[in-house]
Amino acid sequence: MTQDVLAKYLKAWGKLSRKVSREHGLAPHKPLLLLALLDEIQRGAYPSGLIVPTPELVAVFRAYWQSLGPFPGWQPRMDNPFRYLYRDGFWNFLVGGVPVTPEDRPYTLHQISRDFDGVRLAPDLWLLLQDRAAVSALRKQLLDVCFHRKEADVQKVPVAKVLDYEVEKLKAEAQSKFRVRKVREGSDDGYFVRHALFPRVIKNLYKDQCCVCRIAPHVTGKSGIVDAAHILPFAEFHYDDPRNGLALCKNHHYGFDQGWFGITETYKVVVSPQLRNAPAYIEPGTEILLPEDTLYHPDYTALKWQYDNKFLK
């Protein structure tokens, strides 16, 4: 059975539906995404089988692009192959657990993450990808048929190095003048990666502690109770500057977004006069925890916007 399924997908992956340019030939994006996906599945990234865009998947995709390229005339973006692989018959988008066909329009990675649960592969393919020998054969097929290369020729940039570079780029935004501004959602993968890495950066700056109550309970390897909160709401501003972030436990994240409390220019808590049972929840005048580097302290123009627009007076 495995050999029949392997033969089926060796043939399918050798004949992927790919955009073609008269000048630049076949687009490299789909086979590069599949190569990246094979790596991530072997790393254990999708234990439930639900595939979603992640910074790691983008990083591996870019690493393969760098190693197997250059690809003149093509842009190193993962949104289109992720969106259009459904046309190849084994890539199924889900909404509410039900398979759906994406609308016939472009999607950014952020929109894919927002609008769909994720993707499930055809059951026989997912089962096949649990076999290391089959994965090796599929990887060899993609490299040989799509790029005329051998695995020994592939020299990938370490994923951690790519992500570290993106984290430093995000943190570097704190070196420019902070402005209350709305950021347009970019069509490139960089916008998605920056937003996906924002929680990682904020939690690291605050050492995974809520800046109000200092709690930091978590289970090793799993998400904890502390969130990376945007001061200027992301839904409105799309602004991932680290100075627009606070590490807040889920209770204080909710209260901050609802305007139950604000934070002054001296980084002290001010509590809404409308809040009842406040002492059990938050103490007025509490000094919030701040990042060690003053460069990343929350910007007061953002805090003032929250006070002016959200705080319940």
Side-chain angles (χ1 to χ4, degrees), residues 42-68:
Q42 286 204 308
R43 192 175 66 85
Y46 301 112
S48 71
L50 186 66
I51 297 164
V52 296
T54 64
E56 288 78 10
L57 186 61
V58 173
V60 182
F61 174 82
R62 290 180 175 179
Y64 271 112
W65 187 287
Q66 183 173 335
S67 179
L68 296 172

Side-chain angles (χ1 to χ4, degrees), residues 12-309:
W13 286 23
K15 296 183 177 180
L16 293 167
S17 171
R18 298 160 65 189
K19 186 175 181 179
V20 63
S21 161
R22 183 176 300 175
E23 183 178 359
H24 304 294
L26 288 168
H29 302 75
K30 282 187 178 180
L32 289 175
L33 174 54
L34 290 174
L35 285 169
L37 183 63
L38 292 179
D39 283 11
E40 283 295 276
I41 289 174
Q42 286 204 308
R43 192 175 66 85
Y46 301 112
S48 71
L50 186 66
I51 297 164
V52 296
T54 64
E56 288 78 10
L57 186 61
V58 173
V60 182
F61 174 82
R62 290 180 175 179
Y64 271 112
W65 187 287
Q66 183 173 335
S67 179
L68 296 172
F71 301 106
W74 302 107
Q75 295 297 316
R77 289 172 46 184
M78 203 182 79
D79 50 354
N80 279 339
F82 201 102
R83 179 253 187 272
Y84 287 109
L85 260 172
Y86 86 92
R87 292 179 174 174
D88 291 275
F90 55 82
W91 188 264
N92 305 303
F93 280 94
L94 302 179
V95 173
V98 178
V100 297
T101 300
E103 294 179 19
D104 190 17
R105 63 175 177 84
Y107 285 83
T108 65
L109 290 180
H110 175 66
Q111 290 168 336
I112 289 171
S113 298
R114 182 193 65 201
D115 296 349
F116 302 96
D117 301 342
V119 163
R120 286 201 186 278
L121 301 178
D124 60 347
L125 175 57
W126 178 253
L127 185 61
L128 184 69
L129 295 185
Q130 312 315 304
D131 183 319
R132 285 188 173 274
V135 169
S136 180
L138 288 166
R139 183 182 287 112
K140 182 176 182 297
Q141 175 80 333
L142 290 169
L143 289 170
D144 182 27
V145 173
C146 301
F147 303 106
H148 310 295
R149 304 283 285 276
K150 299 182 182 302
E151 189 155 6
D153 300 330
V154 179
Q155 296 181 341
K156 295 182 294 181
V157 178
V159 173
K161 184 175 180 180
V162 177
L163 291 181
D164 286 347
Y165 173 70
E166 293 294 342
V167 164
E168 291 308 312
K169 277 176 58 180
L170 178 54
K171 291 170 70 174
E173 292 188 14
Q175 297 177 20
S176 60
K177 183 177 175 59
F178 189 94
R179 293 181 293 123
V180 176
R181 63 190 177 96
K182 297 183 180 181
V183 178
R184 290 186 61 186
E185 178 174 349
S187 59
D188 67 321
D189 296 348
Y191 174 90
F192 165 79
V193 170
R194 286 191 297 275
H195 180 55
L197 291 177
F198 178 82
R200 209 172 296 185
V201 170
I202 296 301
K203 291 178 185 181
N204 179 261
L205 289 173
Y206 288 84
K207 299 182 179 179
D208 291 310
Q209 298 179 74
C210 173
C211 70
V212 172
C213 63
R214 270 61 168 183
I215 65 170
H218 66 281
V219 174
T220 302
K222 297 186 178 181
S223 297
I225 199 171
V226 175
D227 295 335
H230 288 82
I231 303 170
L232 302 173
F234 181 78
E236 185 174 348
F237 289 89
H238 293 223
Y239 199 16
D240 285 320
D241 186 306
R243 295 166 296 179
N244 188 41
L246 294 168
L248 293 169
C249 69
K250 296 188 185 302
N251 281 341
H252 289 123
H253 187 176
Y254 178 84
F256 185 75
D257 286 351
Q258 296 300 312
W260 291 1
F261 68 94
I263 298 171
T264 69
E265 188 172 7
T266 56
Y267 300 116
K268 293 182 179 180
V269 168
V270 56
V271 178
S272 167
Q274 298 187 39
L275 187 62
R276 300 294 175 261
N277 300 317
Y281 173 72
I282 195 166
E283 286 291 336
T286 298
E287 291 189 13
I288 69 167
L289 176 73
L290 293 168
E292 291 179 356
D293 191 335
T294 58
L295 185 66
Y296 304 114
H297 286 188
D299 193 275
Y300 181 62
T301 55
L303 293 172
K304 186 175 185 305
W305 184 96
Q306 185 271 349
Y307 183 84
D308 291 341
N309 293 273

